[in-house]
Amino acid sequence: MEAYAVLETGGKQVLVKVGDTIEIEKLSVTEGEEVTLDTVCAVSDGTTLKVGAPYVDGAKVVLTIVAPNKKGVKTINFKAKRRKGSRRTVGHRQQYTVATVKSIA
């Protein structure tokens, strides 16, 4: 079994392996920069699993930034009240950072 880690970023938990490309909440970084995240909830070297409470001490995941500012799909929220002529449309487009997992330690 391969080494993997569960990291927390942007209020979400993501399971990653070395070489994976992931989309995470927008970070203020530049393209090609390396980012080290130490908010690792669980880490496995392929045989043993360490689970943190809430984070594993000394565990780090190194990411290489591929695209610092990618936009997600647009979601439309439409509200209407029947028989009142009241309509409201709101759109939202989430911004992401695309990164590749370089190493898990």
Side-chain angles (χ1 to χ4, degrees):
M1 184 177 236
E2 294 182 59
Y4 64 90
V6 177
L7 61 95
E8 181 181 342
T9 178
K12 298 170 185 66
Q13 294 179 356
V14 183
L15 182 114
V16 295
K17 297 178 185 174
V18 175
D20 284 353
T21 301
I22 58 172
E23 285 185 351
I24 55 177
E25 296 290 321
K26 184 180 176 189
L27 301 174
S28 57
V29 292
T30 59
E31 189 172 345
E33 187 177 339
E34 287 189 357
V35 177
T36 303
L37 298 177
D38 58 352
T39 56
V40 180
C41 298
V43 64
S44 172
D45 60 359
T47 56
T48 60
L49 175 68
K50 293 181 187 175
V51 179
Y55 304 121
V56 178
D57 293 332
K60 295 178 184 173
V61 175
V62 179
L63 305 173
T64 304
I65 304 301
V66 177
N69 195 10
K70 181 186 175 194
K71 291 184 178 179
V73 296
K74 187 164 193 169
T75 57
I76 303 293
N77 184 8
F78 180 76
K79 295 181 180 181
K81 293 185 180 179
R82 63 183 194 163
R83 299 186 306 266
K84 305 294 181 197
S86 174
R87 293 180 176 190
R88 181 173 173 221
T89 303
V90 178
H92 176 72
R93 204 160 172 194
Q94 186 68 38
Q95 294 187 345
Y96 295 105
T97 297
V98 180
T100 302
V101 179
K102 187 174 181 184
S103 67
I104 298 172

